[in-house]
Structures are given as C-alpha cells and as structure tokens.
Amino acid sequence: MDEEEIERAVIAYLKKKGFKQTELAFQEEHQQQQQQSKNNSSNSQTDPEVAKLILSFSSESENLPAQYHDGYNKLRSWTYTSLDLYKHELLRVLYPVFVHCFMDLVAKGHLQEARTFFHTFREDHETLHLRDLQKLEGVLSPSHLEEMEFAHSFRQSKVNIKICQYSYELLLQYLHNTQSITMLGVINEHIDFQVSPGQPSSISDEAEAVTLVGSGQDAANLINQREIHWGILEDAIDDRFEKSGGVLSDSDKADRESKEGETEEAKKWSAEGGKQGASVKKLKKDKAGSAGKIGRPEINASSGVPRVKSELPLPVMPTEIEHSILEDLRNRVQLSSVALPSVSFYTFINTHNSLNCASISHEGSLVAGGFSDSSLKVWDMAKLGQQVSNFDMQSENDAATNEHMLVANGGKRPYTLFQGHSGPVYSASFSPLGDFILSSSSDSTVRLWSTKLNANLVCYKGHNYPVWDVQFSPFGHYFASCSHDRTARIWSMDRIQPLRIMAGHLSDVDCVQWHVNCNYVATGSSDRTVRLWDIQSGECVRIFIGHRSMILSLAMSPDGRYMASGDEDGTIMMWDLATGRCVTPLVGHTSCIWSLTFSGEGSLLASGSADCTVKLWDVNASTKLTRTDESKVGNSGRLRSLKALPTKSTPVYSLRFSRRNLLFAAGVLSKSI
Amino acid sequence: MSIVPKETIEVIAQSIGINSLSTDVALALAPDVEYRVREIMQEAIKCMHHSKRTILTTEDVDSALNLRNVEPIYGFVSKDPMRFKRAAGHKDLFYVDDKDLEFKDVIEAPLPRAPLDTAVVVHWLAIEGVQPAIPENPPFEVLTAPSDSKKSEFKEDGLPVDIKLPVKHVLSRELQLYFEKIIELTTRKPESPLFKEALMSLATDSGLHPLVPYFTYFIAEEVSRNLNNFNLLIALMRVVWSLLQNPHIHVEPYLHQMMPSVITCLVAKRLGNRLSDNHWELRNFSANLVATICRRFGHVYHNLQPRVTKTLLHAFLDPTKALPQHYGAIQGLTALGPNVVRLLILPNLQTYMQLLEPEMQLEKQKNELKRQEAWRVYAALLFAAGQCIYNQLKKFPSLLLPSTKTVLKSKKKVVTTIANKRKASTDNFAHQPPLKKLAADGATGVVPINSMQVDTQGVAHPLRGENIIGGGSRREKIDGPVQKASVLAQAWKEDLDFGHLLASLSDIFGQGMFSFIPAPELSLFL
C-alpha cells in the first residue's frame, strides 16, 4: 500500500529533522485515521500526486548531489528544446538556478560534487557572466560563501526575472510534470518572477531582466520612488548667463530681481554677509549691460529646466572671476551633431607605466598627473613653450619663497612636483577656479594643494582604505571622496572631518561625481550599481541597476537631467535621474571607459577609453527620441555615436570640456599596446 | 578538487619547516589557498583599474596584499608587465624568464642612460571633429584602405607598420596570355597598327587591375636596361600613358615604381643611340606624362609634386649636366604649370642665359650638334617663359583693361620719343624696388636692367620702343590701381613683379616674346 510508504517517509523525515512534537501528533492523527478508516470502509485515498511528491522528496535526500545535477541537467535540456519564442526568457532562469544549485551544494558540504557540477555547466553562462563565474569558482567551502560579498548578496536576495505569462506557465508545468522538486525548491526560494501579460520581451532587455542587488529590486524600486530635484541651481552662473542672454521683458526682470533677493539672503545667511550685497548689485548692472549686447537667441535645451535652490551654503565667487566666466560662456561654441568640437590632446610620455590618473583644470591650462610613486605633478601648459628661457629667472624669484618650488626648479623640471602622499595617487581634481588641487591616494588620505603656493595645505584623514576617487563640487569648497572601505564621504575644505558618510554600496566605491546643483552626489561601485545620494540627508535616493561590471566613470549632464556611467566592459549607460531608468545603453567601446564628460550645453557626450579612442555621442537625438516614445526604450533609443577619434596607442585617461567647449583629453603613450 | 593540489601545500609546508603535515590538513588547506589567491587577484584587478591600466603588474598584486594587510612579496617589482614564457611541452604552463647574470658583467657594464623624465606634449586630436593628418595622430587612411605606397611612406616616418605576409597571387590564364601579348608587341613591333589597338585596350579595359604590378615592373626593368633603344622607350611611355588613362585601374600604389622610369625618359643624358632618334619628342611626351601624374595624384600624395619638381630643378640648375638633360628638366617644369615656371625657372633665367648664350652662337660653339641642342633649350625656355606670361596676362584682364585704355590715350597724345623718355624715367622710378629685391636674391651677375632700358630707349629702335611702351603700359597699370586704391595689395605686388618680369624677359628673348602675348593685348602694344 502506498499510504504506508508515505507514512514511513513522513515519519522518517520528521525524525530526521527532529520535529518530535509533530511526529507524535502525526502518529496520533494517523492512528485516529486508521480507526476511522476501519469504521468507514471507504478509504479516504490520498491524492496520488501529493503522494508521489512526498515519496520523491524523501528519496532525494539520500542522493542530494545527483538530484541537483540531474535536475539542473533536465531543466537545461528542456529549456534548450523549448519554443524559440520563449526560449530566451526561459534561458534567463537557468543562470540563477545554476548559481544557487552550486551554492546549495557547497553549503551542504558536497564540495567535490559542487565542483563537477560547476565545471559541467559553466560554459553555458560564460558569455554573459564570466566575471561572476570567476569569482564563484573560488568558493570552496561553506565559510567562503559567507565571506564573499557576491555570494552573500546572491544568497540573501531574490533574483528578479521578467517573464511573460506563457513562459511562466510552461516552466511551472514542466517542473510539476517532471517532479523536479529540487529545482522547484530553488526557483521558489530564490527567484521572483515578474509575470507580465502578453508577448515575451525582446532579448535586448536582458541586462535589465536579470539583476542581482544586495537590497533586492524591491528595495531599489522603493528607493527610486523618492522625489529628487534634478534641476540646475537657481542663480548659478550658467543660469544667469542664460537669462541675460535671452531678451528680458519687464516682468521677467522683476521676477528675477525678487529671485535674486532671495538668493542674496541665502548668501548672507551662508557666509560672511556684508560685502557681497554690493557685489551682487554691481553684477546686476553688468548683466543689464550685457543683456543688450548679446541678444542672441538661446536654443539651449536647459531653458525648460526647473530651478532648484541650493541646500548647501555655497562659496561666493570673486566678481572679476565671474566676469571672465561669463565672458567664456558668451564665447562658447555651440556644439551639435553637425558642429563637432576641437580636441586638444595632452600626451604624457616617459611615464614608465607609473601614471595612475590625469586631470585637467577647467580652462585647460593646468594638467595634473598622479603617479604610483606617490607624487603629484602639475604642468602649466601656458608655460610649456617658454619654460626654457624663463627658468633661471623664475627659480631665482620663487625659490626663496617656497621649498616645493625649489625642488621643482632646482631640478630644471618643466612641472611642479607635489610630494606628500605615501602611496600611489589614484585621483586628482582641480577646483573650478584652478587654484586648488585635491589628490587621493592609496595611503587612505586626501590632500589639498595650492597651485599658487605650490604647497600642501591640508591632509584629510577619514577613510580607512585607499581612496579611489575625489571630486571638487561644481562650485568648489566642498568635495566628495570614495574609497575601498565601501563608503563615499562629503567634505568641506575648512574641516578635517567629513561632513557626511554615505554607506550602502556592497563593494568598493570606485568613482564619484557631483550633480550640477550640488545637492546630490553619484557614486559608482564594483557592485555594479550607481547610487545617487542626497547631500543634506546623506540618504541614497536612487539606485541605478544595469551595468555588468565595475563602474569606472560618471558624468552629469549640465541640465541635471541625465547621468552617464561607463564600465569596465566598455558599455556606457545614460540614465534619467528622475525615473531612475536607463535611457539608452551606448555600445561601441571595447575596453574600460576611463572618462566621461558632457559638453558645456549638454548636447554631446565624450567618452575616453582604454581602447585608445575618444568617442563623441549625440545626446539630444537620443533623449528626444526616447521622450516621444518611451515604450521603445532600449531598442530604438540607441544614442548615436557621432565620431570615434582614435589616438596613437594612447589610452584616454581624462576628458574635460572647457567653458568655451574646447575638449581637452589626456592620456599616456604606451608602447606595449 | 581544488586547482591547488595537496602536494603543493605539502611542498610549501616543508619550505617553511613543517615536515610532517598530515594529508587531511593539506586537503583542507588547498581549497582555502585557492580562495585566498583568487581574492587577492580580485583586489589586484581593482588596483589595476584604478591605476588606469589593463595589464596586471606585480605592483597591483602588492597593493592588493597591502589591502588585506599581508606583507607584499618583495623582489618582483617591475614597472613593465611581466614577460612570460611558455614552458616547452606544456600547453598552459608559463614562467617568468629570469636569467642568471654574472655579477662581474653587471659591475663592469657601462651605466645605462638615465631614463627620460615624464613630460606632456600637446597636439590636436581633432579640429572641429576632423582629425588633422599629423604624425601624432594615427594614420587614418591606413586603417581604412591599406595600400603599399602608403605603407612605405609611413615607414619613412618611423611608425609601426604591421607587415602582411605575402599573399599568393593567382593570375588567370587569359590575363597571362594578354600580358605576354602586350609585352611582345611593345618590345618587338611598336610601329605596328596592332600596338595602337593594344594601347587602346590598355586604356579602356576594365579587368586589367591584377596586371598593373607586372606592367610597372616590366616598364621599370625595360627602361633601365634599354636606354639606347629609342623606339622601345617611346613605346613604353605610351604604355604608361595608356595605363594612366584607364579609369578602371588604380595606379596609385605603383606610382613610386613608375615615376623613376618616366623621369628617366625625361632627363636622361642619352636616349637612343642614333642621331636620327628624335629624343626631344620622347622628352616632351614624358614631360606631359609627369604633369598628368602630378595633376591626377598630387592631391593624394601631397609630396609627389614637390619631389618631382625638386628632381627636375636639380637637373636644370646643374651646369655639369648635358643640354638635353636641361631641356628635359625645362620641359618637365613647364608642363607642371605656369606657376612652377614663374617660381622656379624665371628667377634663374638670367644666370642660365649667360651660360646658354655662348653655346648658341656660331663663333663660340663649333659643334653643330651642340649648337642645335642649345637652340632647342633656348626654344624650350622661351616657350616656358611665354606660357607663363600668357597666363599672367589672362589672370589680370581686369587690370589690363583700364590701364590699356590710358595707355592708348597716352599713346595717341604722345607719339614722340620725348614722351617715351618721360615715361621711361617714371618707369625707372617704379622699377627700383623689385630690382633691388632681385639683386638681394643673390642672382649673380644681374644685368642692370635699369640702365639697359634707358639705353634701349635712347636707341629708339622701333620694335624696342614699342616693347618699352608695353613695359610702360604695365607700369601704368601698376600706378592706376595705386591711385584708385581699389585692388588688393597682393595682386598689385604680383603685377609689379610681373611688369618687371616681362621687361626682363623681352630683354632676354627680344621679339620672341610677342608671340605669347594674347592677340588683343599685343595689338595694343603694337
């Protein structure tokens, strides 16, 4: 009789698990049932399906590794023979199942079997998940599973898979018909299906379809629903320029006056009031003057961009510098898909593989290089041509005043040498006015240098591990750093303690970038996500999921609406900050994207890569396209690559658009490539 | 089960002094070792990326060890990526080649050169989206359409060029036959009507591209071997001409082979071995060939024309070269256009004429043949200069018109020589600066044209007089624009030079010049 077998199986299971109470209860119930069945001759037959399941479940525990192996193998062959239309959706299921099977095996101590399992099936997933597989390969004991961040996050969260109704039914049917309880268990436990009615989605969405996040997609979705104010900063210099550029009606003027009144207040409240009231007034006059002079129509897209107030007290810019910036903005070349920028390339030679980073100041006259010998070197491009003749005079004048200069000129070097770090310098950033440089190093410090005094001013200690990246805010004074310790920190120049610590990434934070309105900062991480943080609250307000490898570079569009991120594989993704969705992936580079930057008015995106090219992408075309038909995002919304500019075996380390839209690029001539 | 075998663990244990390591321990350690190694590599790759490199170095591994608070491995630091060698007989076993060095050698070796310090150089990667063709930028054309001659050019620049392996080239039987037939016709029967047909076919047939390298090689070979065989040479040149005419084939990659042959036929010392050979004709023909090539491919190879002109000018200015060679050079330069003539021949004309004149005169040069040659050269020069003048006149018709009118008027008014003299004086006045310039240019033995003109004026030879009036009209032309101040300074300057030029030319060639002045203008002068 089946029934007895079932009972035995159930009792054996309960015993094994140590559920004594349940066992007793079960036995009692069973006896009662038997009595009843004696009384009542009509045997209450158990469902044969259930019986089978229970039996197979009990038998499986005896030969667990084989169960996993066979179960997965069957699922795999079934998937491969499934209908073409639904195949790619079903194939997506295989990878998480594979990973979890492997981890289950490891966790249960079947190490040898886990290995064989892994090697038998790894080929299937190598094209898409090579890096993960390489990590997983090293997992050789249950304790490793706990230690490894990747495995940990994989275990803790559920995988989200978008799947159409029919594929879902197909899968369930298959699993039930074949009694592959193991697989069913794995799938139930670890996969969340987002079943959508209608046709299966296209293959290209795959990146989005399978995402693994520590906090889970739900949490990410929740976070991404928060409100953010992505508009450009009210009364920022760009903003003012635009206003003065346009033809002003009287009401507009009045409006502006009142607005400026507000910001004036803010400014007074912010820093040392008093003086700048006058300067702002002066500015107003100037603007009124310039408004008449320029009077050219602005076709800028950002005219429709909302204005946001700064949540940070911002530094005040000296009037004469503001004038020069306004002058630059006035002379800015309008770039578009037909008017491409000129690119000036700074090539570092004889670096002997020791240059770690390059940075170009906003007007392109200063170039800084961070070296693995802990030094930071700054070249003044304006002096480059005349350096030889001026040398002696210079050193005589300056040497006495500063020891650093002495070092620099005593050796007849054409650059200024900044020494102070005790580990490789991984990043350098110029302040907007070019008078300060920040450098971050493997010695877990950030140092502030003055280009005027050629001296180290401050050493910011706070991170516990190498600081990978440091960036000045668009208005100076504040800066953000990120580190191997999985945090990003916000600092101000006048304090040696960080103002905010942003924690949440599951792995190293590799790059950091300020939003144009200074209220947010974006971080890219080795956990393959980009996060946007609110500076005031220090909370994560957006998670951008979609990259398949570590994120190396970030850029914010000048209108504050979009963000671009580049990864190790050469993929660039364009994100809409408001929705948190990927507008379009930009495919074209074949190697690491070291640098991304938007042109001054935001119409072009430039990307510099280890594949020795600078690529220019048309931003306007793609974003307009996607705005009109959002349903086709991903398929038709490909950003157009306008131009690829190959260099002569020089990977492009750094890019910068000057205020007049001249593109500067820097890289190292490497003979080995 | 781990890629680290337990034997390795045992060996490592022994190396640090643990002799009796139980198998269980080794087995348990092996997977952990593998995991740790992978972990270190993962961190090392992070460090590599933050150093903006794509090649892992020992330094990265050291920094990764540092991150994990492990002592780095000393003794392997090198700034360059490791060079691995494959172990013989193993498919995936590599090792770092570490040579034994003699201590003595190291000590005695001269100090290596100090490494150059890091520097930054600037160049334009793109100007308004277009990459300029400068050595700092990668050769863009090579990437898109590789061609042989391009490659050789870049080799000169010292750029890395990947050399393709020789490709086996298969010619169809028909093409082979065709080639042999053409070769036979060219070498044996260049006079036959069939040869004309062959040339026609060469100039129009669309399927000949595979044969082009063979033809160029053939031509180059034959020219260098048969400089005495006039008929063959002219036949070969006609073959070149036909090949150039053919729109279906791309001669560009083979030009560098073809040009020397053509130039040889232009400026060789002797072409043909008999007196009856009309080598002048061959030279003329070659000159036209050179000009055609320069015109057609000059924009592709920007240094083509400069190189040709340099060669020709060299031949022209070398007094040791024979007169036929000079002739060829002059013809070649003339064919390249009036601008070349104006810039290269005319400045040297006076000096050259001094050299040439004795050769032309019966008294000084007894050899009939030599004298004839000299006259040929003279004719060529005359033609060149005339062509140039003609072109100049064509260029500034607007300048001519008003001024000629004034000249006409003045001519009506002043018929006597007094007027002439008055003009001449103004002439001389206007003439001073360019002359000085000419003298400064270092043309040795400049004839004082100033005085000469005055002299000729004084003689008042009817023809000469008119000539001077012509010169005068030029000068009027110069003055006119100045007064009006409506003409570009550049045109004015050229015209000034030109006015002077014409005068000096007519000094040299006399009446010969007039045939080159366009009819309407000439009628004005006469």
Side-chain angles (χ1 to χ4, degrees), chain A residues 245-311:
Chain A
V247 185
L248 299 173
S249 68
D250 280 355
S251 61
D252 267 352
K253 256 182 194 165
D255 196 1
R256 194 159 57 93
E257 220 74 23
S258 65
K259 264 189 192 171
E260 276 183 359
E262 279 170 33
T263 45
E264 229 170 285
E265 265 179 32
K267 274 180 183 169
K268 270 178 196 162
W269 164 79
S270 72
E272 53 295 319
K275 289 174 197 169
Q276 74 261 31
S279 72
V280 173
K281 267 175 206 158
K282 219 187 272 172
L283 256 180
K284 259 186 259 170
K285 276 179 205 161
D286 291 332
K287 260 176 278 155
S290 62
K293 265 186 252 167
I294 312 160
R296 86 183 141 117
E298 274 293 330
I299 14 158
N300 212 319
S302 55
S303 48
V305 165
R307 303 290 187 262
V308 175
K309 262 198 208 170
S310 165
E311 290 168 12

Side-chain angles (χ1 to χ4, degrees), chain A residues 347-352 354-355 371 373 377 379 413-415 668, chain B residues 115-120:
Chain A
T347 313
F348 287 82
I349 50 173
N350 306 319
T351 56
H352 312 288
S354 66
L355 186 79
F371 289 81
D373 62 0
K377 295 171 186 173
W379 281 263
R413 292 199 193 93
Y415 52 81
V668 172
Chain B
L116 293 168
D117 201 0
T118 309
V120 178

Side-chain angles (χ1 to χ4, degrees), chain B residues 21-127:
Chain B
L21 190 77
S22 80
T23 336
D24 291 347
V25 174
L27 271 176
L29 274 176
D32 203 53
V33 166
E34 187 188 338
Y35 179 80
R36 298 297 156 198
V37 168
R38 283 172 187 278
E39 194 184 13
I40 296 292
M41 290 329 282
Q42 179 191 313
E43 299 303 313
I45 288 169
K46 278 181 192 165
C47 292
M48 172 186 85
H49 278 132
H50 285 289
S51 301
K52 302 241 186 326
R53 272 183 275 111
T54 45
I55 297 169
L56 198 70
T57 64
T58 48
E59 230 179 328
D60 297 323
V61 180
D62 280 349
S63 350
L65 289 168
N66 227 355
L67 282 182
R68 286 276 168 270
N69 239 339
V70 183
E71 192 90 337
I73 306 167
Y74 297 105
F76 290 93
V77 173
S78 110
K79 292 279 179 192
D80 298 317
M82 292 283 196
R83 297 197 184 283
F84 289 96
K85 280 196 164 181
R86 189 194 294 271
H90 296 271
K91 199 165 66 130
D92 46 4
L93 184 59
F94 294 87
Y95 65 97
V96 178
D97 196 23
D98 205 1
K99 277 184 197 152
D100 286 338
L101 290 175
E102 276 294 327
F103 196 52
K104 215 179 100 192
D105 293 350
V106 177
I107 291 179
E108 283 173 359
L111 281 176
R113 275 217 329 239
L116 293 168
D117 201 0
T118 309
V120 178
V121 290
V122 194
H123 74 271
W124 287 106
L125 181 67
I127 295 171

Side-chain angles (χ1 to χ4, degrees), chain B residues 502-523:
Chain B
L502 189 66
S504 64
L505 281 178
S506 44
D507 272 341
I508 296 165
F509 296 115
Q511 233 172 318
M513 243 16 252
F514 291 130
S515 54
F516 294 101
I517 298 169
E521 277 88 359
L522 186 68
S523 67

Side-chain angles (χ1 to χ4, degrees), chain B residues 210-464:
Chain B
L211 286 178
V212 177
Y214 296 91
F215 276 122
T216 36
Y217 180 74
F218 166 74
I219 291 162
E221 278 290 290
E222 292 296 304
V223 167
S224 58
R225 268 191 294 162
N226 296 305
L227 277 179
N228 293 329
N229 191 341
F230 171 73
N231 284 333
L232 180 63
L233 286 178
I234 197 133
L236 287 170
M237 286 304 109
R238 289 172 77 180
V239 170
V240 174
W241 178 259
S242 299
L243 286 175
L244 284 174
Q245 295 304 306
N246 195 327
H248 304 288
I249 59 180
H250 303 288
V251 197
E252 294 96 319
Y254 309 101
L255 276 183
H256 67 286
Q257 266 182 318
M258 226 180 240
M259 276 317 268
S261 319
V262 180
I263 297 217
T264 307
C265 287
L266 181 60
V267 292
K269 196 170 182 187
R270 274 180 71 87
L271 293 167
N273 53 356
R274 282 167 298 168
L275 280 178
S276 60
D277 288 340
N278 188 0
H279 64 91
W280 310 106
E281 193 192 320
L282 175 59
R283 288 179 203 274
N284 289 346
F285 188 75
S286 310
N288 280 333
L289 263 182
V290 169
T292 316
I293 291 171
C294 285
R295 264 198 299 278
R296 251 184 75 185
F297 305 108
H299 63 282
V300 187
Y301 306 125
H302 46 88
N303 65 348
L304 178 68
Q305 179 149 352
R307 273 162 73 177
V308 170
T309 34
K310 215 171 134 191
T311 318
L312 294 178
L313 190 66
H314 202 69
F316 172 54
L317 291 181
D318 190 346
T320 57
K321 292 252 162 67
L323 282 172
Q325 282 173 287
H326 287 165
Y327 175 82
I330 292 162
Q331 281 294 345
L333 289 171
T334 314
L336 286 174
N339 269 339
V340 178
V341 174
R342 194 161 58 84
L343 292 173
L344 296 175
I345 296 190
L346 295 188
N348 300 309
L349 200 56
Q350 298 233 326
T351 336
Y352 189 78
M353 284 312 282
Q354 287 183 338
L355 201 81
L356 188 64
E357 233 153 299
E359 299 284 318
M360 284 157 57
Q361 284 158 5
L362 192 62
E363 312 85 67
K364 302 217 171 120
Q365 180 56 266
K366 298 289 183 227
N367 189 337
E368 173 76 16
L369 195 67
K370 282 271 173 68
R371 206 165 61 237
Q372 221 167 26
E373 281 174 359
W375 277 103
R376 280 273 185 186
V377 175
Y378 178 75
L381 278 175
L382 181 61
F383 179 71
Q387 199 79 338
C388 175
I389 296 299
Y390 180 80
N391 240 285
Q392 287 288 319
L393 285 172
K394 280 252 149 150
K395 242 196 221 155
F396 304 106
S398 57
L399 280 174
L400 268 179
L401 281 174
S403 58
T404 39
K405 269 178 200 159
T406 59
V407 172
L408 273 177
K409 277 177 202 160
S410 67
K411 214 181 167 191
K412 275 177 195 161
K413 281 180 203 158
V414 273
V415 199
T416 53
T417 48
I418 311 158
N420 262 348
K421 267 177 189 163
R422 187 181 57 81
K423 251 189 199 170
S425 58
T426 56
D427 285 353
N428 293 342
F429 183 70
H431 232 311
Q432 295 288 4
L435 249 184
K436 269 179 195 157
K437 194 169 143 247
L438 192 81
D441 278 351
T444 49
V446 181
V447 188
I449 296 179
N450 250 358
S451 55
M452 229 169 94
Q453 264 183 348
V454 176
D455 288 348
T456 46
Q457 203 124 39
V459 173
H461 189 278
L463 272 176
R464 279 289 194 198

Side-chain angles (χ1 to χ4, degrees), chain A residues 50-61 67 179-181:
Chain A
V50 176
K52 261 191 194 170
L53 288 182
I54 294 174
L55 283 178
S56 63
F57 184 73
S58 62
S59 65
E60 118 196 0
S61 56
Q67 284 283 330
Q179 272 103 43
S180 30
I181 303 298

